[in-house]
Amino acid sequence: MRAKKAKTELRRTQIASAALSLVERHGLRGLNCARLAEAVGVVPSALYRHYPDKDRVIDAVLDLIQGRMAENVAMARTETGNALHRLRALLDRHVALVLKSSFIPRVVFSEEVLQRDSAHSQRMYQIVDQYLSGVEAIIREGQIEGAVRTDIDPKAARQLFLGVIQPSILLWTMSDGRFDLRAQTEACWLLFIQAIGTAAEARRQTNLASTRMTDAARKDQKT
Amino acid sequence: MRAKKAKTELRRTQIASAALSLVERHGLRGLNCARLAEAVGVVPSALYRHYPDKDRVIDAVLDLIQGRMAENVAMARTETGNALHRLRALLDRHVALVLKSSFIPRVVFSEEVLQRDSAHSQRMYQIVDQYLSGVEAIIREGQIEGAVRTDIDPKAARQLFLGVIQPSILLWTMSDGRFDLRAQTEACWLLFIQAIGTAAEARRQTNLASTRMTDAARKDQKT
DNA sequence: TGTACATCAGTGAACGCGCGTTCACTGATGTAC
DNA sequence: TGTACATCAGTGAACGCGCGTTCACTGATGTAC
C-alpha cells in the first residue's frame, strides 16, 4: 500500500520523533532503517527523501534528547523550597525517566554512541555538559542561600551529582529488576547531602529521609 | 601459510588473552572473528576448533577481566595506612587502568554488552558486584578503625565510590582528552571523604589534598 | 476553469559490506601393533 | 624401531543474515498558462 504523500518538513519531524521513540524503548541498537520506516508508515528507501543518511537522523534524536533533559532541569528549577530541594527534584525526575522505561538517560550516560562514531561524542559531551551546567547553577544558588557549603567546589559537586545516579542505573540495568533503583539513589543522595550540605541542612535532610522511609514502609504495608 | 598446530588447551588461553587485548585497545566493538584470528595467527574458522561460538570467547574475556579487577582490589587492600588510604589506592588504580588506555573499566561499567545479550548482563552484574563487595569490605574496616563514620550505610557508600569515578570516565571518554580525569576524580574524592569520613579524617584528607595539589603545581612548573 | 507540465514524495528491487558460522578437505601429530 | 592408522588442529570457500544505501520508476500534488 502506498503511503500518503507528506511535506518533507512534516516527515522530518515525524521521522525524528519516531526515531526517538524507538531509542527510548530499545536503545540506539534498536534504531534501524527498517523499523524506523515501518514506524513512520513508509518504505525504508523513502527515508532518504528526508534525511541524507542515518547519522543525520541520530543527530535529530540527540537534539530532541537535549531538549528533554533541558526541560527536566528547567522544571526542577521552578520547584519551591531551597536549592537542595530543587536538586532532589531533578534527581527524582531523572530516576522517573529511567523507570518510565525510557532509555534516554541510559543512552546519554552510557557509551553506546561513542565508539561507533566520534562525531557524535562531541554532541553527547555537549548535552551532558549542558545538563551538568544546570546542576551547577542550582548548587551555586544553594551556596548563596546557605543550604550548600561554600567551601566545596561546585564543579566537583555537579560531577558527583551524576555519580549519585549513574552507577545505580548501571546496576539496575544489569540486574534485570533485582536492584532497587529508588532505594539506592535515595541512599546515595543522603551521602551526597552529607558531602555538600551545610551542617544544618545535612541534619534536616537526614530526618526528612527517615520520614520518607517510614512513609514508604507504611505504604508497603497498606498494599 | 599454514599455522603450526597447537594443543587446544594452549590455543584456548591464547585466544582468550588475544581477545582481552583487543577489547582493551578497541572495546568490545573491536572484537571480531577476523581480527581475533589474525592476532592468534590462524584463520577465522580455526577458532571454532577451540570455542563453540563467539559468545564463549566473550565469556572467557569476562573471566579475565574479573580476575584483573579482583587483583586491583586485592593489591589495594595490602596498602599500609587506614581504610581511606586503601580506598584511595583503589581509586588511583582504577584511574590508572583507564589512562593506560585500557578499555576494561569502560567495558564493564558501560552498557556495551548488556543490550546485545542479556546472558552477559548477569556476568557483568556479578563482576561489578564482586568489585563493590571489596569496596564495601574496606569501608566496614574503616568504620571499625574509626576512619569512616559509623552512621553511614556501607552499601550506599560503595555505590557512591563508583559514582566518584564513573561519571568522570564517561566525560573523559566523550571529551577526547579535554577533560582532566585525574583532577576531576581527585575533586570528587574529596567530596566523598566529606560524606563518609569521620570529622577528623575529613579534615586530614582535605589537607592532604591541598598538599597533593601544590605538589602537582610544582611538578607542572618544573616540566 | 481547464489543461500541460514540473516537482517531488513514495516504491521495490537490488547492491555491497561486515559479520559469525559451516563444512568438506588436508596434513601434521600421536598411538597401537 | 618401523609401519599403519586414528585423531584432530588448520584451511579456504562459501553461506546466510542484517544492515545502510542507491536507483530507475511511479504517480500524486502543485503551478503556469
Side-chain angles (χ1 to χ4, degrees):
Chain A
M1 201 188 63
R2 181 167 266 253
K4 199 147 194 308
K5 279 183 90 167
K7 292 272 168 202
T8 194
E9 265 318 304
L10 174 61
R11 276 284 189 249
R12 280 180 65 85
T13 62
Q14 282 180 349
I15 291 170
S17 69
L20 176 64
S21 164
L22 281 176
V23 169
E24 278 181 353
R25 281 175 294 152
H26 308 106
L28 263 177
R29 280 242 169 66
L31 178 63
N32 62 43
C33 294
R35 269 213 252 189
L36 179 56
E38 199 196 343
V40 177
V42 294
V43 110
S45 54
L47 300 175
Y48 290 82
R49 294 271 161 244
H50 312 292
Y51 285 94
D53 55 30
K54 195 190 169 190
D55 274 339
R56 293 321 114 219
V57 176
I58 294 181
D59 283 344
V61 171
L62 293 186
D63 283 341
L64 291 177
I65 288 181
Q66 183 161 30
R68 297 242 177 147
M69 300 197 45
E71 188 191 327
N72 254 9
V73 173
M75 292 296 288
R77 296 189 74 175
T78 64
E79 292 281 326
T80 55
N82 69 18
L84 290 179
H85 277 101
R86 297 200 291 283
L87 261 191
R88 172 67 200 217
L90 183 55
L91 180 71
D92 286 342
R93 278 175 184 280
H94 199 125
V95 171
L97 200 60
V98 176
L99 287 177
K100 217 185 72 190
S101 109
S102 162
F103 266 69
I104 291 181
R106 293 207 235 169
V107 171
V108 178
F109 299 111
S110 82
E111 307 183 17
E112 244 184 313
V113 223
L114 308 184
Q115 295 190 262
R116 191 186 289 274
D117 162 22
S118 83
H120 288 143
S121 295
Q122 304 281 339
R123 275 304 313 278
M124 283 296 197
Y125 184 74
Q126 189 202 328
I127 293 176
V128 176
D129 190 63
Q130 181 184 298
Y131 184 71
L132 291 186
S133 292
V135 173
E136 187 182 334
I138 300 176
I139 290 169
R140 287 186 191 277
E141 288 162 14
Q143 288 182 319
I144 293 168
E145 290 172 9
V148 175
R149 291 167 50 175
T150 51
D151 62 339
I152 58 110
D153 175 14
K155 291 269 182 211
R158 83 182 210 176
Q159 192 81 3
L160 195 59
F161 176 78
L162 199 49
V164 169
I165 320 174
Q166 210 194 337
S168 295
I169 292 178
L170 174 76
L171 282 155
W172 177 74
T173 309
M174 288 178 171
S175 79
D176 197 29
R178 271 177 294 147
F179 186 90
D180 187 339
L181 183 58
R182 276 200 196 285
Q184 290 295 326
T185 48
E186 171 79 37
C188 286
W189 168 256
L190 245 154
L191 286 180
F192 181 67
I193 291 301
Q194 300 300 321
I196 74 160
T198 52
E201 274 302 321
R203 264 198 308 280
R204 228 160 66 83
Q205 292 286 328
T206 310
N207 294 339
L208 262 178
S210 57
T211 315
R212 259 199 296 268
M213 270 161 64
T214 46
D215 275 1
R218 208 175 300 131
K219 208 172 160 194
D220 278 351
Q221 279 190 329
K222 266 189 195 166
T223 53
Chain B
M1 200 189 62
R2 183 167 265 251
K4 198 146 193 307
K5 279 183 89 166
K7 292 272 167 199
T8 193
E9 265 318 304
L10 174 61
R11 277 283 189 250
R12 279 181 64 87
T13 61
Q14 283 179 349
I15 290 169
S17 67
L20 176 65
S21 162
L22 281 176
V23 169
E24 280 181 353
R25 281 175 293 152
H26 308 107
L28 262 177
R29 282 243 167 66
L31 178 63
N32 61 44
C33 294
R35 268 213 253 190
L36 179 56
E38 199 196 342
V40 177
V42 295
V43 108
S45 54
L47 298 174
Y48 290 81
R49 294 272 162 243
H50 312 292
Y51 285 94
D53 55 29
K54 195 192 169 187
D55 274 339
R56 294 322 113 215
V57 177
I58 293 179
D59 283 343
V61 170
L62 294 186
D63 283 341
L64 291 177
I65 287 179
Q66 182 161 31
R68 297 242 177 147
M69 299 196 46
E71 189 191 327
N72 253 10
V73 173
M75 293 297 288
R77 296 189 72 175
T78 64
E79 293 280 329
T80 56
N82 69 18
L84 291 179
H85 277 100
R86 298 200 290 284
L87 261 191
R88 172 67 200 216
L90 183 55
L91 179 71
D92 287 342
R93 278 175 184 280
H94 199 123
V95 171
L97 200 60
V98 177
L99 286 178
K100 215 186 73 190
S101 107
S102 162
F103 266 69
I104 292 181
R106 293 206 235 169
V107 172
V108 177
F109 298 111
S110 82
E111 306 184 18
E112 243 185 314
V113 223
L114 308 184
Q115 293 191 263
R116 191 186 288 274
D117 161 23
S118 82
H120 288 143
S121 296
Q122 304 281 338
R123 275 303 314 279
M124 283 298 198
Y125 185 74
Q126 190 202 329
I127 292 176
V128 176
D129 191 64
Q130 182 184 296
Y131 184 72
L132 291 186
S133 293
V135 172
E136 187 182 335
I138 300 176
I139 290 168
R140 286 186 191 279
E141 288 162 13
Q143 289 182 316
I144 294 168
E145 290 173 10
V148 175
R149 292 167 50 174
T150 52
D151 62 338
I152 59 110
D153 175 13
K155 291 269 183 214
R158 83 181 209 175
Q159 192 80 3
L160 194 59
F161 176 79
L162 199 49
V164 170
I165 320 174
Q166 210 193 336
S168 295
I169 291 177
L170 173 76
L171 283 155
W172 177 75
T173 309
M174 289 175 169
S175 80
D176 197 31
R178 270 177 294 146
F179 187 88
D180 188 341
L181 183 58
R182 277 199 195 285
Q184 290 296 325
T185 48
E186 170 78 37
C188 286
W189 169 255
L190 246 153
L191 286 180
F192 182 66
I193 291 300
Q194 301 299 322
I196 75 160
T198 52
E201 275 301 322
R203 263 196 310 280
R204 228 161 64 82
Q205 292 285 330
T206 310
N207 294 338
L208 263 177
S210 57
T211 315
R212 257 200 295 269
M213 269 163 62
T214 45
D215 276 1
R218 209 175 300 131
K219 208 172 158 192
D220 278 352
Q221 281 190 328
K222 266 189 195 168
T223 52

